[in-house]
Amino acid sequence: METRVIPVVREHLQKEDFVEAAQLLRDGELVAFPTETVYGLGGDALDPDASRRIYAAKGRPSDNPLIVHIADTDALPVLAKEIPASAWELAKRFWPGPMTMILKKREIVPDATTGGLDTVAIRMPSDPVAAMLIRESGVYIAAPSANASGRPSPTRAEHVYEDLNGRIPMILDGGPVPIGLESTIVDLTGGVPMILRPGYITIEQLREILPDVMYDPAVVGRVRNDSIVAKAPGMRYRHYAPKGELTIYEGDLAAVVARVQAEADAKLAQGYTVAVLASEETKDCYKGLTVRSVGDREEEATVAAHLFDTLREFDRMGAEYIFGECFPEEGVGQAVMNRLMKAAGYRIVQV
Ligand code: AMP
Ligand code: MG
């Protein structure tokens, strides 16, 4: 299958650009498209064959459910039942935007989309390309991140092409995405609202509406704990990982830099291809090493925006060992560290 890449300009969207993509979706085919978080691989959420195609294209385990993307809150009661008042408040406050809610699903949502669960994940994206695609196609779009399963999520159309070329008919290229990390997932189906995946919307922001919201224990640990089962199936898998072995170092920044330098030097001396994941503040401190700054420690949104792209760059350079710094877990830093720890397979060294 030939994968066509169709450029779209966020600021000047034209309905004509969406005609073919919308038709593909109505025909049960797949289209990759940008959202404000990462690129999604979309298919008709109510068509089980389209969902199966998504799993096949990504190589994704079929028990890992998909998020259903909508363009209007009217869709909420169509897809979900027993919707608590807090869900409407969350929608009013955070939609359109990078927040996903888990609710009890209605019959209309096929098991193929929810991985057999009786709940459904729903999000209204704010990206104009995503919103236009949902509206023009007239379908609810099931869309996981448009990467091959296990790889870092795509933040540019080139990343989607790298992973899925020949496996899907179309990619809408809207340029790099603004946020760069997946949505915050909140489960409203239990007694206490739970954050199943940290994202750009922080726990502090959610508390304005859900004062008792908590993290699912599986998402905050600093060590891999196999006795705690993540409630979001997707958080159970090895994920976001570069091909090389990534280890991250935590502690006083100057000590971290010295330790990373020493460990990287040792691997380099053994003849390995080595890279360092650093920050704007530290990138010039390393000597004789291949260093990439992932962003500015004072502006953690910049780290979020470049994390996945940087991990993919390490793959492109063939890095066998990657040594990385940790970042403060405040605000969006919680999501940054969640992804980084998973990418490192929980290889975290305290310095
Ligand atoms: P992705 O779209 O690739 O970011 O993956 C979607 C994430 O949402 C995965 O981590 C899923 O496990 C999670 N998810 C989707 N639907 C549900 C659900 N009904 N219950 C719990 N987690 C879900
Ligand atoms: Mg994903």
Side-chain angles (χ1 to χ4, degrees), residues 10 47 54 70 118 185 259 276 325:
R10 275 199 180 76
D47 176 351
I54 293 176
I70 61 175
D118 60 357
I185 302 181
R259 180 71 179 272
V276 175
E325 301 169 3

Side-chain angles (χ1 to χ4, degrees), residues 248-249 253 256-257 277-279 282 286 297 324-327 340:
I248 50 179
Y249 293 80
L253 196 54
V256 164
V257 169
L277 184 152
S279 48
T282 57
Y286 299 98
R297 294 179 164 275
E325 301 169 3
C326 286
F327 292 86
L340 201 50

Side-chain angles (χ1 to χ4, degrees), residues 31 43 48 66 76 83 101 109-110 134 170-171 239 263 299 346:
V31 176
L66 309 175
L76 213 45
I83 301 171
M101 290 191 254
V109 185
I134 301 166
M170 186 177 284
I171 302 170
H239 223 131
E263 301 279 352
E299 292 274 349
Y346 291 92

Side-chain angles (χ1 to χ4, degrees), residues 127-260:
D127 186 285
V129 179
M132 185 105 150
L133 184 62
I134 301 166
R135 291 218 167 87
E136 292 300 306
S137 64
V139 307
Y140 307 119
I141 302 183
S145 49
N147 52 305
S149 192
R151 295 213 68 208
S153 298
T155 56
R156 297 169 172 270
E158 292 86 333
H159 301 161
V160 182
Y161 193 81
E162 212 168 74
D163 283 13
L164 301 179
N165 177 28
R167 306 176 74 92
I168 59 172
M170 186 177 284
I171 302 170
L172 295 180
D173 181 355
V177 298
I179 292 179
L181 295 180
E182 304 84 347
S183 60
T184 306
I185 302 181
V186 193
D187 184 357
L188 299 176
T189 62
V192 178
M194 289 285 213
I195 298 174
L196 306 190
R197 178 173 73 186
Y200 192 74
I201 302 294
T202 63
I203 191 164
E204 291 80 16
Q205 286 173 293
L206 289 171
R207 280 202 183 115
E208 292 168 25
I209 290 178
L210 306 169
D212 55 344
V213 68
M214 293 188 353
Y215 283 115
D216 182 52
V219 305
V220 283
R222 318 211 50 75
V223 288
R224 195 188 155 129
N225 184 341
D226 291 328
S227 66
I228 304 175
V229 177
K231 273 201 79 190
M235 300 305 279
R236 288 174 208 156
Y237 308 106
R238 176 182 149 90
H239 223 131
Y240 314 118
K243 290 173 185 149
E245 185 183 289
L246 168 64
T247 307
I248 50 179
Y249 293 80
E250 186 169 47
D252 170 69
L253 196 54
V256 164
V257 169
R259 180 71 179 272
V260 164

